[in-house]
Amino acid sequence: MELKNYTTFSEFHLLGLTDNRKLLPLVFTMFLSMYLITILGNLLIILAISSGSPLHTPMYLFLSILSINDICFSTVTIPKMLVNIQAKDDSISYIECLSQICFVSIFGGMENFLLAVMAYDRYVAICKPLRYTVIMNPFYCALMILFSLFLSIMDALLHSLMVLRLSFCTELEIPHFFCELAQIIKLACSDTFLNNFLVFVAAFVFGGGPVCGIIFSYIYIVSTILTIPSSGGKHRAFSTCASHLSVVSLFYGTGFGVYISSAVTDSLKNTAMASMMYSVVPPLLNPFIYSLRNREMKEALKKLFGRLIFLV
């Protein structure tokens, strides 16, 4: 079998969500709309938090970082797909593909860690309210954000460097709208044991760690809420966690859906659709979840819109 490595071929081909050329204008319009809504929604969240002094708290600091991360996550994948559809060219260079793998891993991992940090913030606020300002001080918040970014970058670089050792066959078609690590490994003709082993270990450590942190945080949160005597107090305590729980459910629910889809179906299009749900839908819906389920965010957005209307 003929082998090609990164010195003898220059590009992959992204098959996207459909091979029906007549549907491409619809796909282009749909993804362009979702991308613009994602950018606008997350920018509004960032502006509302930065302009509203009551929102200058650790919880909303983490939310603003999450919004920045969501913008970056979407920008890594969707614009390239839109350009390819517009140019009627499904190719992506080796360097671009490797860059996509790296940055998707960074921002996907960063979202994972940020959700765990936000769960810890809710744990401290509910279970240790008197010590909240001491524990969640600016230095410690910045340290958690930087450490999350560091771990995400290290994880992404490991996977990207391991891809460099792979050789590829003449079949260079990726059944997705972006370069996904698992699909690139499947295309390789050389031994992929180390790559698959690293994916498993990284998922267990960098994925399982934050998930366990979220689970244990909410176990303590629920047990604390149950000890509150008044129903009003219970409702107020739980309402501060409702938005975060919704985002966590969306992120890990779609991620689990991708895993199940790739495990139980041989349809490449179904797997591509599942990956789209994981990479596009959470950044799109996160601003709506926090703006609709959070009273303080609603008030901040109303004030922001009032200022924007006044300026216009």
Side-chain angles (χ1 to χ4, degrees):
M1 183 179 293
E2 182 183 354
L3 297 180
K4 295 184 178 183
N5 59 30
Y6 67 93
T7 62
T8 57
F9 79 91
S10 60
E11 61 186 25
F12 292 97
H13 294 277
L14 299 171
L15 301 184
L17 299 177
T18 179
D19 52 7
N20 188 340
R21 293 290 176 181
K22 295 180 180 179
L23 293 177
L24 288 181
L26 177 62
V27 173
F28 179 87
T29 303
M30 180 182 70
F31 272 84
L32 178 60
S33 301
M34 289 193 295
Y35 180 63
L36 292 177
I37 292 172
T38 299
I39 299 298
L40 180 60
N42 283 288
L43 280 177
L44 286 174
I45 293 291
I46 295 168
L47 289 174
I49 293 172
S50 60
S51 62
S53 55
L55 301 184
H56 293 171
T57 63
M59 181 177 76
Y60 292 106
L61 167 66
F62 298 138
L63 177 57
S64 62
I65 299 297
L66 182 67
S67 293
I68 294 172
N69 187 78
D70 284 340
I71 291 173
C72 296
F73 197 10
S74 299
T75 302
V76 169
T77 57
I78 297 180
K80 176 59 180 176
M81 187 197 68
L82 296 176
V83 169
N84 281 7
I85 293 176
Q86 192 68 18
K88 298 180 180 179
D89 179 15
D90 62 0
S91 64
I92 181 171
S93 70
Y94 180 83
I95 299 301
E96 286 179 317
C97 189
L98 193 63
S99 299
Q100 269 198 348
I101 291 173
C102 183
F103 284 109
V104 166
S105 298
I106 288 174
F107 297 123
M110 187 65 179
E111 182 129 356
N112 189 37
F113 288 116
L114 279 174
L115 291 176
V117 169
M118 294 169 78
Y120 177 73
D121 173 75
R122 292 299 83 207
Y123 158 75
V124 177
I126 294 173
C127 301
K128 301 180 180 181
L130 298 179
R131 299 186 60 198
Y132 180 76
T133 55
V134 176
I135 297 175
M136 303 302 293
N137 60 75
F139 174 77
Y140 189 55
C141 291
L143 186 62
M144 286 193 290
I145 293 171
L146 291 175
F147 187 62
S148 298
L149 181 60
F150 172 76
L151 291 179
S152 301
I153 292 174
M154 290 297 102
D155 179 45
L157 287 178
L158 280 173
H159 289 303
S160 301
L161 292 174
M162 289 298 290
V163 170
L164 288 174
R165 59 178 290 275
L166 297 177
S167 298
F168 297 92
C169 305
T170 54
E171 182 64 40
L172 299 174
E173 294 181 340
I174 303 171
H176 281 62
F177 66 94
F178 68 95
C179 287
E180 190 179 50
L181 177 63
Q183 296 300 322
I184 296 298
I185 293 175
K186 287 181 181 178
L187 289 178
C189 288
S190 55
D191 182 30
T192 60
F193 172 78
L194 288 177
N195 295 79
N196 289 319
F197 179 74
L198 180 61
V199 168
F200 175 79
V201 172
F204 181 79
V205 176
F206 297 115
V211 170
C212 289
I214 292 171
I215 291 173
F216 282 117
S217 293
Y218 275 101
I219 288 175
Y220 283 107
I221 288 171
V222 171
S223 62
T224 301
I225 290 176
L226 292 176
T227 61
I228 298 175
S230 66
S231 59
K234 291 179 180 178
H235 181 266
R236 284 193 299 272
F238 181 76
S239 64
T240 63
C241 305
S243 300
H244 180 258
L245 273 175
S246 300
V247 171
V248 167
S249 301
L250 179 65
F251 181 75
Y252 290 110
T254 52
F256 186 68
V258 172
Y259 174 78
I260 294 296
S261 175
S262 61
V264 303
T265 181
D266 294 327
S267 173
L268 297 178
K269 294 302 178 186
N270 288 344
T271 304
M273 288 295 295
S275 293
M276 184 203 74
M277 294 294 293
Y278 172 74
S279 58
V280 176
V281 174
L284 173 68
L285 295 183
N286 285 352
F288 294 98
I289 293 173
Y290 271 99
S291 60
L292 293 175
R293 299 182 65 92
N294 189 296
R295 183 177 57 83
E296 292 178 332
M297 185 57 66
K298 285 182 184 178
E299 293 298 324
L301 286 171
K302 287 179 182 178
K303 291 180 181 179
L304 178 64
F305 285 132
R307 292 173 186 170
L308 293 175
I309 293 172
F310 177 76
L311 291 175
V312 173

